[in-house]
Structures are given as structure tokens and as C-alpha cells.
Amino acid sequence: MIKPPEVAQMATSLSRRMFLKSQATIAAGAVTAGILSAQETAPQGAPLRIGVIGVGGRGTYLLRLLLEQGAEVPAVCDIRPARLEIAGKLIAEMRDGQQPATYGDTPTDYRRMLERDDLEAVLIATPMQWHAVMAVDALRAGKHVLSEVAATMTVQECWDLVNAVEETGKIYMLAENCCFWRPVLAIGQMIAAGLFGQLTFAECGYVHDCRALAFEADGTLTWRGEIKRDHRGNWYSTHSLGPVAKWLGINKGDRLVSLVAAETGRAAMRYYVEQRFPEGHPARQIDFRAGDSTTVLIKTAKEVLIDVRYDVMSARPHPTTVYYTIQGTKAVYDSRIDSVWIEGRSKAKAWEPAGPYVEEFDNPLWKEHAEKAQKTGHSGGDYFVIQQFAEAVRKGGPVPVDVYDAAAWSSVMPLSEQSLNEGGKPVEIPDFTRGKWEQIAS
């Protein structure tokens, strides 16, 4: 696979004007990632004009959602001609024969697309290794950005992304759909209402058998497989960490301070490869660095402990993908048993089904958009990712999952690897807000 080009290191100093602007953006965020409000800077209902970079299976699905929500897509980019053809047919079908301009002659042809004057934003749905460099290029080309997860691969890319947003004033949103799940938003409402008291502990995990996704049909590695071969640690952190970070008010009253990682051995992928590929097959010679299961313990400035598990190697049925627990001084929620217990409110000292509480504390987003959201993937989260980004572009921001969230959550990937490489030592997590988190109450 062609590796992303180097991104020049950006200056880290903020002008007073950009400092105040970024402060206002953070202040508008909410622990529930709920409905956003801001001064409108575009006509209400004006269609979003967006280009899509990467129209594989995921990108094409998101392209369909963009079109269903009224966006105009003048251009698409992909290095595979067959995928461009599929995307073009979809746009023609849903837009009365309109044909998009196509780009993809080289891996960096997306930069030519960014020169177009008829695009105000781009959606990035390429392999993860390209997300940061493409987002930085797009921001500096004057485009708003909606990026698939994770946002970055290195700590330097985290800073590059933060600097690009602060220096250009353009909107960046991470398309973390798990933050918009109905129970996740409802629990956020309950936390904001004080039902949990002081939050003390969170547990979350992405546990999903993805071994088959590491290989192409011929046994060569996909981009996911390359990550497993080249890296150890938690390399898909945002699905699990995102919702609990929102509950805890990370970057808006608290922040991630340090982490320490530990991992198992490497038996599961070895077993899978031996079962799938015959003796002598090149796939059997691949040395995967990733352990079967990795646990990362994160401490926050407010002394909350977050336990994050990552396991995409172990054999298990689907769906058992993402789980969340939040513990407070007065209540606890555990998604694995879909249950809540609230001191003084629960009738007995026993778990209660979460369903009635989700209905009682349903987020306004779901009250307004439930019928449409339920028809989309990731439990409706995909609908809100598109809807909230388009709304933010129309109104000039802010977004519910901003660049500071993207950097903090994504930095867990390289930093967990650093911790493992240093024998399980604690590693500091940078403050990507440069201190602004202290001035914003969650």
C-alpha cells in the first residue's frame, strides 16, 4: 500500500483572535453531543456542496446518506475506477442524471479535487492511514471536513490537525457514529441532570472479530491488516472511547492526562491464518505485531479512571462489538446488560432495564429525527453524523465531535503502542486544547 506523504509541521502558536474563536467553539459543545445552535451564516436549507474522497463500501454508503439528506455531490475521488463508476451511477440515479467529476489518477489526485470552487466541504472515507493528511490538505484548501474514524495515526498528526483547524477557522468533525446512539445520548441527558452524581469510573471496549477483514481474497493484506502487522496497542480507539469521553466532559471541564497499556500474546491471528491458508502460503509468513487483546487504562485530570479494551483478533460471534459502563457516586449504567441502577430512584437495590430511562431522557435529536435515523446504519448514528455536520456547515459551527475530541481520542492509538514498547510504562497524553478545557464546564 502506498504510504501517505509527509505533512509539514504546523506552527503551534495561536493568535488572540483564533484563541477566542476556538474557545467559543468548545463552549458550545455539550456532554450529550445534542442539538447544536449557532449564528447562521448560510441560508436555511441551502444544500451542502460536498466532495467525497474514498467511495469504497463505506464511502458509497455515506454518499447515499448525503444524497438522501439533500446534499449536492459535484465530485468524487477514488483510485479504483470501478468504485468511481458505482458512485457516479448512484449520484445519477438520485440526482436526475447528474454526473459528478471524478478524480483518482494518482493517490494524491484528491488535491486536484480540492481546488474546485464548487465544493464547500469534503467527506473523507479512505483507509485510516490517509485520514489526517487528507483532512489537513482539505482544511488548508478552504474546505470543511467530515472525516471517518480514526482521525490520525501519530501524535504529530493530531497537532497538525488541531493547528489546521485553528489557523483556517474551518469546520472539522469526526464521524464517530457511536456518540449518537440513542442510549448513549439518553445517558448523557441523565448525567447532565445530576442523576449519576460525581462520575468516577468508565469502562468501554471495541471487541469485534475482524480477522477476515485483514486479508484480501488472495491473502494479501488490506489496510486493516497492515495496521495489525505494523503496530501493537489499541488501534481503533474512538468507537469505544468517544461516548464515555462525552459523558465525562473530556476537553470541556476534564481532560485525558495519561495512559498505560498491557496486551496478551498473539495466538488468535496465528490460529486463524493456519486455518484459512494452506502450507506454504505467503500469508503464513506475516509477523503480526498486534496482540490478541489490549487493555488501556486512562486517567483524567479529575481522577476518573477509564478502562478501554481493544480486541479484533479473538474468535467470537457478532454482534458483540462495543460496550460502555459509566459509574457515578449515585448511579451506574452497563450497556452489556442494558441496565441502570440509580440510588434513591430504583425501587430495589437491583438492576433495572435501561429502556424506560432512555424513553424518559430521550435526547431532542432522537425525538425529532427518530423515524429517519432508525433506517440508517450503526443504530441510527450514521444519520446524525451527516445531519449534524451539514447543520454545522449551514450555521457556521460548532460540531458535536470537534478537532479536540478527534485528537485526544485518536492519540490513544500511538500512545498505547508507546506504552507497550516501553514495557508498560505510563505515557502522558498531550493537552490538545492548550489549557482551554479548564475554562469550559461540561
Side-chain angles (χ1 to χ4, degrees):
M1 177 173 179
I2 300 172
K3 299 298 182 184
E6 292 292 325
V7 183
Q9 183 173 351
M10 312 301 180
T12 58
S13 61
L14 277 172
S15 67
R16 175 172 174 78
R17 179 176 61 84
M18 288 311 303
F19 174 82
L20 293 173
K21 182 170 185 177
S22 58
Q23 286 250 100
T25 298
I26 295 179
V31 67
T32 58
I35 290 178
L36 307 172
S37 61
Q39 185 68 34
E40 289 194 17
T41 58
Q44 181 66 28
L48 176 67
R49 293 175 286 110
I50 185 168
V52 180
I53 309 175
V55 285
R58 179 65 178 162
T60 299
Y61 174 69
L62 293 174
L63 169 61
R64 178 179 290 277
L65 294 186
L66 283 167
L67 295 168
E68 288 177 350
Q69 293 195 33
E72 295 297 331
V73 184
V76 293
C77 179
D78 200 292
I79 60 174
R80 297 158 298 178
R83 298 306 310 186
L84 289 175
E85 183 178 355
I86 292 171
K89 288 180 178 178
L90 177 62
I91 293 171
E93 174 189 334
M94 299 182 69
R95 287 294 181 273
D96 297 325
Q98 293 179 18
Q99 287 292 334
T102 58
Y103 299 83
D105 292 341
T106 69
T108 56
D109 202 30
Y110 70 91
R111 290 172 175 160
R112 193 162 57 92
M113 189 182 87
L114 295 177
E115 297 174 358
R116 296 178 64 98
D117 293 332
D118 59 348
L119 297 179
E120 57 186 323
V122 294
L123 165 66
I124 299 171
T126 58
M128 195 164 72
Q129 292 92 326
W130 282 89
H131 290 176
V133 65
M134 288 178 168
V136 170
D137 284 344
L139 291 163
R140 297 198 175 279
K143 314 302 182 188
H144 306 298
V145 173
L146 176 63
S147 173
E148 264 294 326
V149 301
T152 63
M153 293 282 286
T154 69
V155 174
Q156 182 58 55
E157 286 183 341
C158 292
W159 283 116
D160 292 342
L161 193 58
V162 168
N163 292 334
V165 170
E166 291 178 340
E167 291 167 12
T168 64
K170 291 299 176 181
I171 291 168
Y172 174 94
M173 178 171 164
L174 186 66
E176 183 42 79
N177 44 55
C178 294
C179 291
F180 297 96
W181 289 0
R182 196 168 203 161
V184 167
L185 289 177
I187 294 298
Q189 297 278 99
M190 295 168 66
I191 291 169
L195 270 66
F196 278 73
Q198 181 179 340
L199 301 178
T200 59
F201 175 79
E203 184 180 359
C204 54
Y206 185 81
V207 185
H208 183 193
D209 184 357
C210 294
R211 292 172 297 176
L213 298 179
F215 298 95
E216 302 286 2
D218 63 359
T220 57
L221 293 178
T222 64
W223 64 267
R224 293 178 176 88
E226 290 182 345
I227 290 175
K228 295 176 178 65
R229 179 196 63 196
D230 298 339
H231 298 284
R232 55 199 300 218
N234 183 329
W235 279 88
Y236 206 56
S237 55
T238 68
H239 277 343
S240 52
L241 185 56
V244 300
K246 282 296 179 184
W247 290 340
L248 295 170
I250 298 301
N251 294 330
K252 300 171 180 66
D254 198 359
R255 82 169 185 92
L256 307 181
V257 171
S258 65
L259 63 77
V260 62
E263 66 179 356
T264 67
R266 294 159 176 76
M269 182 59 89
R270 188 181 311 116
Y271 172 79
Y272 176 84
V273 170
E274 290 172 354
Q275 296 298 307
R276 176 171 172 177
F277 301 105
E279 289 282 352
H281 194 284
R284 288 193 170 216
Q285 306 305 313
I286 299 172
D287 183 18
F288 290 94
R289 297 195 68 219
D292 296 337
S293 189
T294 302
T295 292
V296 180
L297 295 177
I298 303 174
K299 291 196 69 173
T300 80
K302 287 188 174 180
E303 299 187 331
V304 177
L305 183 65
I306 309 172
D307 183 335
V308 189
R309 183 185 175 193
Y310 169 71
D311 188 337
V312 295
M313 302 287 213
S314 299
R316 61 177 54 240
H318 188 74
T320 52
T321 307
V322 194
Y323 63 85
Y324 309 101
T325 295
I326 188 72
Q327 178 71 62
T329 54
K330 300 194 298 185
V332 59
Y333 165 73
D334 192 329
S335 72
R336 288 166 293 191
I337 55 175
D338 192 29
S339 296
V340 186
W341 180 79
I342 304 173
E343 185 178 59
R345 177 157 176 157
S346 298
K347 295 180 180 179
K349 197 160 187 176
W351 290 103
E352 293 183 300
Y357 288 99
V358 171
E359 291 184 12
E360 181 180 353
F361 292 92
D362 203 11
N363 187 277
L365 277 177
W366 275 94
K367 291 179 180 179
E368 182 178 354
H369 299 282
E371 184 176 353
K372 294 178 180 178
Q374 287 167 347
K375 298 176 182 178
T376 66
H378 290 93
S379 300
D382 288 338
Y383 174 86
F384 290 114
V385 162
I386 301 297
Q387 185 266 338
Q388 287 284 279
F389 178 70
E391 187 76 1
V393 171
R394 280 195 293 267
K395 294 182 176 181
V399 291
V401 186
D402 64 20
V403 70
Y404 304 106
D405 297 326
W409 306 349
S410 299
S411 72
V412 170
M413 301 189 307
L415 293 177
S416 64
E417 181 170 46
Q418 179 182 338
S419 176
L420 291 171
N421 289 342
E422 295 177 358
K425 291 183 180 179
V427 175
E428 291 187 6
I429 301 173
D431 174 13
F432 296 104
T433 75
R434 298 183 177 96
K436 294 187 288 292
W437 66 272
E438 295 184 275
Q439 304 167 39
I440 308 299
S442 62

